[in-house]
Amino acid sequence: MAEVKLQGICKAFGNKTVLRNVDLILPPGTVTCVMGPSGAGKTTLLRIVLGLLAPDSGSLTGLEG
């Protein structure tokens, strides 16, 4: 199992920027908690990681296949 790496992830809905240049490394075999206030982009980030939503820019590696 490889690490999951997000680099420069950005996402906006209309003129509302939800994620801006998010960099994150998720090592294999670890548990990660995503915390933040309502509207901070937690669900959007998880939807991008799960492949349910495409980022506007940036890259996601480690989940190929």
Side-chain angles (χ1 to χ4, degrees), residues 3 22 28-29 51 53 57 59 62 65:
E3 69 183 11
V22 175
L53 188 62
S57 62
S59 64

Side-chain angles (χ1 to χ4, degrees), residues 23-59:
D23 295 323
L24 180 64
I25 296 174
L26 302 170
T30 63
V31 176
T32 302
C33 178
V34 179
M35 296 175 59
S38 179
K42 300 176 301 291
T43 300
T44 300
L45 179 65
L46 294 175
R47 289 174 57 86
I48 289 171
V49 170
L50 292 171
L52 301 174
L53 188 62
D56 294 334
S57 62
S59 64

